């Protein structure tokens, strides 16, 4: 299914003339247990910071993000659920529930036929703290009952009524039916099912911090009463899931409940039903205590009593079992669905297992085990079946997804599949490679990621410098394995491989303490490979050597984390505090860096020479932290902006001994912190953006002074990112991309002014500014935009196409294509 909602921004400013289309979204999953849900519509929903992200397993990419929440998204639920196989025949309308850390629940609607999304409604505020779990079922073609639980100690029962398909937006109605208080130990897992043969009676299982599974019975009115408790686990209950009713050995319909716990075990509970006459119900209740003690818990719902027994205890995981899920039912006919006897479990031991009863003995055994090989000692937060049961998906501690698909013909053969990848913490900066083959991003999750279109074209240099919350800059160089992978990805001609002859580093290996990445040399690869066992690590303490790999198809998350490391080649020492900003000139010969500062001596900018990695200059001007720096297009000037509300422009000249530098201007440019700056790629004009919600255009006059040329109308929020690109050199016309603290983005046309970089040129025209486009919120970030970067599209059929990359505090990296219309 393809999505079109938000594919093209619909709002154009008074300038008109451009459209923006989504090209790519990279984002990791929030570190929350119940964060992911795989729907019958074929899409996986998950929380990415404050947004609800949707990815298509079929396409292997994120197709949309839904803004609206003001806090971290904790859990999601599709309606109809995967168990509602009989209610999804020819269905084109689905609903998605999302709950966040501030207690807000939102409902979204999708028309799968048109691929259109809409924000349906925000539910009444029944919870006072974060939502932790959802569970729901459809009880008819148009009515769903679902429950939500929160860390405030309440469980709320809701009813959703879906209007006729002919009715437009707003046809969905949600009402609160009942609220249960569970005391000081909140519930963190829920499961809801329809009791067999009871005409709409429901059963709700909940588990939490008291190590017990609590069973409640109710009906569609939402009134639930406690029926019994299931004891056995010795730690928190992390996941619960009911099966569909199952007929076994000529018995009445039985219902199975699977539970998992931090005690590393999985328990399967069997609930068998027997009819009871109304006259015997009272006398039957008197015997419940003795029968429950001997045979297991017994409870009555309607005119049927249910005997609960422990069907099986599954032991196999070596760490907390965070999720269990029955394989989704298969529809046999219009009114019958079959429940496969198969359970998927996911654990912090970095393993997912599929459990099935052995055919001859009926004993439950682990039939399939898949997992992740990584340096992280923490594993999976959840595992999920595809609705058809042919694929399984896990999400892990590092925000990563891992998917396997059964590709076997006669027997099971589970193979890794391509899934979206991204950061799981705010993305602080990004940049294109010199020639634009790939996009490099850095994040607070302490990783650097490289994104590239597979099967594009291009060549370029492959070295980068990065800084973090430490006093040292680190230099990384591309190993041979990456260069050859890039050759496959970008369709470079084979004869270009001759350039690799001088590359002696094949890959990199993480040290035992994870402090730096040591090179693996080409002459030592045989010894490295021979020392690796095919069985993987014996325990989480064992860290085998990495295997540098040349990929001929896009790598999956395990391979990215294990076999694509770049070696660290140099460290640049000098700053007295944690680094804050870094930039490189356009020839790749000078690096400028700055750190957090509260005084002028600490706020100085250091210049480093690429190659020798010597400090060749220390530029003093600012009194507080320099927030961003950028070299002019001809490398003649370095622009810096700071928390002290000033901008500074330095003249820079590369020399044999390093670099000469002079401060030519320092101005108090804004009334608040200046977050962003960007040069005109044609001339010596630049833009600055500030917390005072303004963007100002400046020009360097005669290489000796700076003049204010224009101030754009005030924006709705703080301006945090700017990027200027060229469109027409003759008119000195370009596009200025503007990102804001609320995640919104705009494009402005800037033209006129100085027409060239030649200071003696007398031809100039007044500067003209106009808003070209305001991005659709569905395209935008949901938190602060940290960086914007332009890059020419490699599309040969349309030279006017431009690509804009953005990153933000919402953990997302996004790429847009901007075209003339």
């Amino acid at each position: 299914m393809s999505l079109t909602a938000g594919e093209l921004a619909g709002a154009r400013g008074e300038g008109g003339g451009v459209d923006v289309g989504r090209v790519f979204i990279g984002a990791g999953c929030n570190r929350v247990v119940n964060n992911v849900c795989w729907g019958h519509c074929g899409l996986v929903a998950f929380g990415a910071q404050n947004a609800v992200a949707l990815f298509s397993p079929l396409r292997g990419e994120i197709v949309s993000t839904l803004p609206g929440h003001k806090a971290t998204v904790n859990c999601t639920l599709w309606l109809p659920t995967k168990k509602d196989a009989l209610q999804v025949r020819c269905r084109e309308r689905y609903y998605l529930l999302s709950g966040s850390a501030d207690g807000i629940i939102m409902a979204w609607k999708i028309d799968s036929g048109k691929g259109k999304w809409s924000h349906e409604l925000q539910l009444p505020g029944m919870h006072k703290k974060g939502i932790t779990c959802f569970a729901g079922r459809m009880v008819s073609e148009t009515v769903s009952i679902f429950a939500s639980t929160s860390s405030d100690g309440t469980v709320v029962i809701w009813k959703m009524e879906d209007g006729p398909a002919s009715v437009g937006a707003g046809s969905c109605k949600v009402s609160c039916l009942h609220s249960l208080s569970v005391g000081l130990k909140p519930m963190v897992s829920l499961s809801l099912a329809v009791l067999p043969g009871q005409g709409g009676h429901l059963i709700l299982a909940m588990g939490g911090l008291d190590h017990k599974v609590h069973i409640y019975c109710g009906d569609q009115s939402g009134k639930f009463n406690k029926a019994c408790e299931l004891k056995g686990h010795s730690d928190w209950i992390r996941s619960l899931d009911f099966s569909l009713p199952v007929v076994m050995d000529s018995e009445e319909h039985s219902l199975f409940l699977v539970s998992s716990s931090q005690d590393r075990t999985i328990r399967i509970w069997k609930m068998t039903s027997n009819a009871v006459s109304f006259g015997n119900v009272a006398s039957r209740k008197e015997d419940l205590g003795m029968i429950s003690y001997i045979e297991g818990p017994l409870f009555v719902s309607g005119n049927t009593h249910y005997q609960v027994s422990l069907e099986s205890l599954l032991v196999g995981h070596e760490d907390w079992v965070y999720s269990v899920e029955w394989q989704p039912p298969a529809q046999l006919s219009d009114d019958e669905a079959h429940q496969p006897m198969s359970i998927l479990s996911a654990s912090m031991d970095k393993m997912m297992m599929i459990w099935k009863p052995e055919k001859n003995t009926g004993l439950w055994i682990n039939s399939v085990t898949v997992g992740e090989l990584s340096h992280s000692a923490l594993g999976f937060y959840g595992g999920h079946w595809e609705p058809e049961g042919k694929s399984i998906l896990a999400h892990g501690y590092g925000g990563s997804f891992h998917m396997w698909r059964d590709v076997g013909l006669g027997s099971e053969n589970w193979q890794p599949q391509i899934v979206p990848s991204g950061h799981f913490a705010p993305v602080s900066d990004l940049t294109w490679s010199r020639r634009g083959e790939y996009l490099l991003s850095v994040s607070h999750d302490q990783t650097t990621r490289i994104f590239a279109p597979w099967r594009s074209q291009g060549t370029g240099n492959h070295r980068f410098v990065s800084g973090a919350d430490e006093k040292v800059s680190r230099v990384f160089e591309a190993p041979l394995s990456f260069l050859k992978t890039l050759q496959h990805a970008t369709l470079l001609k084979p004869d270009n491989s001759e350039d690799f002859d001088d590359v002696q580093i094949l890959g990199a290996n993480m040290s035992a303490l994870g402090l730096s990445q040591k090179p693996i040399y080409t002459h030592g690869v045989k010894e490295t490979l021979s020392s690796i066992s095919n069985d993987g690590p014996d325990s989480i303490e064992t860290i085998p050597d990495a295997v540098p790999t040349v990929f001929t198809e896009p790598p999956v998350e395990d391979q990215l984390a294990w076999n694509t490391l770049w070696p660290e080649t140099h460290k640049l020492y000098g700053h007295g505090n944690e680094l804050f900003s870094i930039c490189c000139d356009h020839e790749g010969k000078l690096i400028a860096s700055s750190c957090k500062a509260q005084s002028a001596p600490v706020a100085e900018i250091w210049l480093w020479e690429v190659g020798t990695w010597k400090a060749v200059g220390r530029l003093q001007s600012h009194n507080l932290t320099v927030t961003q720096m950028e070299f002019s297009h001809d490398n003649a000037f370095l622009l810096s902006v700071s928390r002290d509300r000033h901008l500074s422009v330095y003249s820079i000249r590369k020399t044999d001994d390093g670099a000469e530098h002079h401060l030519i201007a320092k101005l108090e440019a804004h009334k608040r912190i200046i977050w962003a700056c960007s040069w005109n790629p044609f001339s010596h004009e630049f833009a600055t953006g500030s917390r005072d919600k303004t963007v100002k255009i400046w020009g360097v006059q005669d290489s000796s002074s700076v003049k204010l040329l224009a101030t754009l109308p005030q924006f709705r929020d703080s301006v945090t990112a700017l990027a200027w690109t060229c469109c027409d050199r003759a008119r000195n016309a370009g596009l200025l991309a503007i990102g804001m603290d609320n995640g919104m983005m705009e494009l402005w046309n800037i033209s006129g002014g100085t027409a060239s970089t030649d200071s003696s040129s007398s031809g100039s025209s007044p500067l003209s500014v106009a808003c070209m486009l305001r991005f659709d919120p569905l395209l935008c970030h949901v938190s602060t935009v940290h960086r914007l970067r332009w890059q020419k599209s490699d599309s040969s059929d349309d030279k006017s196409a431009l690509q804009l990359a953005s990153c933000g505090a919402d953990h997302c990296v996004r790429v847009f294509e901007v075209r003339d219309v």
Side-chain angles (χ1 to χ4, degrees):
M1 182 186 65
S2 63
L3 285 164
T4 59
E7 290 291 340
L8 289 178
R12 294 197 189 103
E14 56 271 20
V18 293
D19 268 335
V20 174
R22 181 188 299 111
V23 175
F24 168 78
I25 302 173
C29 184
N30 290 340
R31 289 177 174 177
V32 189
V33 175
N34 299 305
N35 193 26
V36 177
C37 189
W38 196 334
H40 247 297
C41 60
L43 294 176
V44 175
F46 66 95
Q49 208 240 9
N50 298 349
V52 180
L54 307 166
F55 92 77
S56 167
L58 186 63
R59 293 160 56 178
E61 63 182 6
I62 298 174
V63 296
S64 186
T65 55
L66 308 178
H69 285 286
K70 303 301 182 184
T72 301
V73 176
N74 284 345
C75 49
T76 56
L77 176 70
W78 287 99
L79 292 173
T81 69
K82 284 180 285 190
K83 290 185 172 58
D84 297 317
L86 302 180
Q87 281 82 16
V88 296
R89 300 187 303 270
C90 302
R91 189 180 184 92
E92 291 191 350
R93 187 157 60 185
Y94 295 85
Y95 290 94
L96 174 64
L97 300 172
S98 59
S100 58
D102 57 0
I104 298 299
I105 301 174
M106 291 187 176
W108 314 81
K109 181 174 68 174
I110 180 176
D111 186 327
S112 61
K114 301 178 181 178
K116 294 290 186 181
W117 278 98
S118 64
H119 177 253
E120 190 71 359
L121 52 87
Q122 178 175 317
L123 274 61
M126 298 297 296
H127 293 292
K128 297 179 181 179
K129 294 184 179 180
I131 311 299
T132 55
C133 187
F134 288 127
R137 287 294 302 274
M138 292 198 73
V139 294
S140 71
E141 290 287 342
T142 58
V143 178
S144 301
I145 302 293
F146 67 92
S148 61
T149 184
S150 166
S151 52
D152 63 4
T154 62
V155 177
V156 178
I157 313 299
W158 307 83
K159 180 179 182 180
M160 175 183 283
E161 298 176 89
D162 186 14
S166 59
V167 181
S171 59
C172 169
K173 180 183 177 182
V174 178
S175 55
C176 175
L177 299 180
H178 190 51
S179 179
L180 299 169
S181 177
V182 296
L184 298 178
K185 295 185 177 181
M187 299 297 154
V188 294
S189 56
L190 295 172
S191 186
L192 187 68
V194 179
L195 283 168
Q198 280 294 296
H201 280 247
L202 302 172
I203 182 170
L204 175 67
M206 58 180 74
L209 281 59
D210 62 357
H211 311 172
K212 303 174 185 177
V213 179
H214 302 265
I215 303 297
Y216 285 75
C217 292
D219 53 31
Q220 295 186 29
S221 69
K223 184 67 175 179
F224 279 76
N225 297 303
K226 190 167 184 178
C228 66
E229 295 178 351
L230 307 181
K231 301 178 182 179
H233 286 294
S234 59
D235 209 331
W236 291 10
I237 311 296
R238 298 311 307 231
S239 183
L240 296 165
D241 193 33
F242 278 111
S243 69
L244 287 189
V246 178
V247 178
M248 300 179 65
D249 302 327
S250 301
E251 297 179 357
E252 294 290 330
H253 284 84
S254 297
L255 199 63
F256 287 90
L257 172 68
V258 60
S259 62
S260 69
S261 168
Q262 290 181 185
D263 64 10
R264 307 181 182 185
T265 66
I266 300 167
R267 291 173 179 261
I268 304 175
W269 310 86
K270 183 179 179 181
M271 302 178 183
T272 55
S273 60
N274 290 297
V276 178
S277 64
F278 286 102
N280 294 333
V281 170
S283 60
R284 185 65 171 170
K285 286 184 177 180
E286 296 176 359
D287 300 331
L288 288 183
M290 183 62 67
I291 294 175
S292 297
Y293 180 78
I294 299 174
E295 302 178 5
L298 185 75
F299 64 91
V300 176
S301 177
N303 61 348
T304 304
H305 75 260
Y306 294 86
Q307 181 73 56
V308 184
S309 60
L310 181 63
E311 171 75 6
S312 186
L313 173 65
L314 309 182
V315 179
H317 285 293
E318 298 179 357
D319 209 333
W320 298 354
V321 185
Y322 263 142
S323 80
V324 283
E325 184 177 300
W326 287 95
Q327 182 174 340
Q331 186 173 342
L332 300 179
S333 62
D334 289 344
D335 57 356
E336 185 179 3
H338 168 66
Q339 172 65 65
M341 298 303 287
S342 178
I343 294 171
L344 175 68
S345 63
S347 167
M348 287 299 277
D349 64 5
K350 297 180 281 189
M351 297 293 178
M352 279 204 304
M353 297 181 179
I354 298 178
W355 305 81
K356 295 180 179 180
E358 204 271 330
K359 291 183 179 179
N360 297 324
T361 63
L363 296 176
W364 285 79
I365 60 172
N366 168 25
S367 63
V368 175
T369 300
V370 294
E372 174 194 16
L373 184 66
S374 75
H375 293 286
S376 172
L378 298 173
F380 295 149
Y381 274 177
H384 307 271
W385 287 98
E386 176 198 26
E388 286 73 29
K390 291 294 185 181
S391 297
I392 54 178
L393 176 75
H395 65 102
Y397 173 81
S400 57
F401 286 106
H402 309 262
M403 186 167 71
W404 291 266
R405 185 169 181 82
D406 183 10
V407 297
L409 297 177
S411 60
E412 288 184 300
N413 180 16
W414 295 85
Q415 294 297 319
Q417 304 295 305
I418 297 172
V419 290
S421 176
H423 296 284
F424 60 90
V427 186
S428 53
D429 201 0
L430 53 70
T431 187
W432 292 93
S433 63
R434 288 275 297 282
R435 296 178 182 268
E437 310 96 312
Y438 55 83
L439 185 67
L440 185 145
S441 62
V442 292
S443 166
H444 291 203
D445 63 13
Q446 301 180 349
T447 67
T448 298
R449 290 178 179 265
I450 294 176
F451 302 96
W454 205 260
R455 298 288 182 256
S456 63
Q457 296 181 0
T459 60
N461 68 323
H462 312 289
R463 173 194 285 157
F464 74 91
V465 183
S466 64
D469 275 338
E470 55 184 0
K471 301 175 183 180
V472 58
S473 301
R474 299 177 186 266
V475 183
F476 297 87
E477 295 201 29
L480 183 62
S481 57
F482 173 81
L483 297 176
K484 290 186 175 181
T485 296
L486 188 65
Q487 187 180 63
H488 285 286
T490 59
L491 296 177
L492 293 180
K493 296 180 180 179
D495 58 6
N496 279 9
S497 62
E498 296 176 1
D499 299 336
F500 304 156
D501 293 341
D502 295 333
V503 181
Q504 298 298 316
I505 299 175
L506 180 63
N509 209 354
M510 181 70 75
S511 65
L513 296 178
L515 298 179
S516 62
Q517 282 140 218
K518 305 300 182 184
I520 299 174
Y521 294 96
T522 53
H523 57 76
V525 68
K526 293 183 180 180
E527 292 84 348
T528 300
L529 294 174
S530 63
S531 66
I532 295 175
S533 167
N534 291 329
D535 297 330
D538 296 329
S539 70
I540 62 175
E541 287 80 15
T542 304
I543 301 179
D545 290 333
V547 184
T549 305
V550 178
F551 298 106
T552 56
E553 60 182 19
V556 297
E557 189 70 25
D558 288 357
Q559 297 166 330
L560 288 173
W562 199 246
N563 302 324
T564 63
L565 298 177
W566 287 26
E568 179 186 321
T569 57
H570 295 88
K571 293 182 177 72
L572 308 183
Y573 294 95
H575 288 289
N577 287 333
E578 295 87 350
L579 293 177
F580 196 87
S581 179
I582 197 166
C583 73
C584 179
D585 71 356
H586 298 283
E587 293 181 348
K589 295 181 179 180
L590 280 179
I591 299 289
S593 61
S594 68
C595 69
K596 296 178 182 178
Q598 296 291 331
S599 63
V602 182
E604 61 186 4
I605 298 168
W606 286 56
L607 294 181
W608 310 84
E609 184 177 45
V610 174
T612 65
W613 304 111
K614 296 188 303 183
V616 294
R618 295 166 70 172
L619 286 58
Q620 294 186 352
S621 175
H622 296 287
N623 297 317
L624 297 175
T625 304
V626 174
T627 56
Q628 190 177 349
M629 302 172 290
E630 187 173 302
F631 285 90
S632 62
H633 68 285
D634 57 359
N635 297 321
F637 300 104
L638 174 64
L639 167 66
S640 63
V641 293
S642 168
R643 288 181 178 270
D644 63 13
R645 309 176 185 180
H646 286 73
L647 67 84
S648 296
V649 178
Y650 310 84
S651 65
I652 304 291
R653 188 172 71 88
K654 188 76 171 64
T655 65
D656 294 338
D657 297 329
E660 292 182 355
H661 53 85
H662 300 283
L663 177 66
I664 67 168
K666 178 182 179 180
L667 299 173
E668 184 172 359
H670 291 268
K671 297 178 181 179
R672 302 291 297 277
I673 292 173
I674 308 175
W675 285 123
C677 61
S678 183
W679 284 97
N680 183 339
F682 284 155
S683 63
H684 292 153
E685 297 159 351
F686 59 88
T688 57
S690 167
R691 183 180 282 176
D692 64 11
K693 304 180 183 180
T694 64
V695 172
K696 296 182 179 182
I697 311 298
W698 310 80
V700 178
Q701 306 291 317
D702 300 323
S703 299
S704 60
S705 62
V706 171
K707 178 183 177 181
L708 178 63
L709 303 179
T711 300
L712 274 58
Q714 191 169 41
F715 292 87
R716 298 179 182 178
D717 209 335
S718 302
V719 176
T720 55
L722 296 172
W724 201 331
T725 191
C726 56
C727 293
D728 186 344
R729 179 179 290 271
R731 297 190 303 111
N732 189 32
L735 285 177
L736 180 64
I738 300 171
M740 287 168 271
D741 196 37
N742 59 7
M744 297 295 104
M745 294 181 287
E746 298 184 10
L747 292 182
W748 284 70
N749 179 275
I750 313 291
S751 60
T754 303
S756 71
T757 61
D758 184 3
S759 60
S760 63
S761 173
S762 59
S764 64
S765 59
L767 194 69
S768 172
V769 298
C771 180
M772 296 288 286
L773 181 142
R774 292 184 175 90
F775 283 54
D776 188 305
L778 283 176
L779 289 172
C780 293
H781 296 271
V782 296
S783 295
T784 306
V785 180
H786 281 158
R787 188 73 81 229
L788 296 166
R789 301 278 192 183
W790 286 101
Q791 177 59 46
K792 268 278 190 179
S793 171
D794 60 3
S795 176
S796 59
D797 59 340
D798 187 354
K799 296 181 179 179
S800 64
L802 298 167
Q803 286 197 340
L804 174 66
S806 67
C807 66
D810 62 354
H811 311 176
C812 288
V813 173
R814 300 169 185 263
V815 180
F816 307 95
E817 189 168 76
V818 180
R819 291 178 177 270
D820 291 332
V821 294

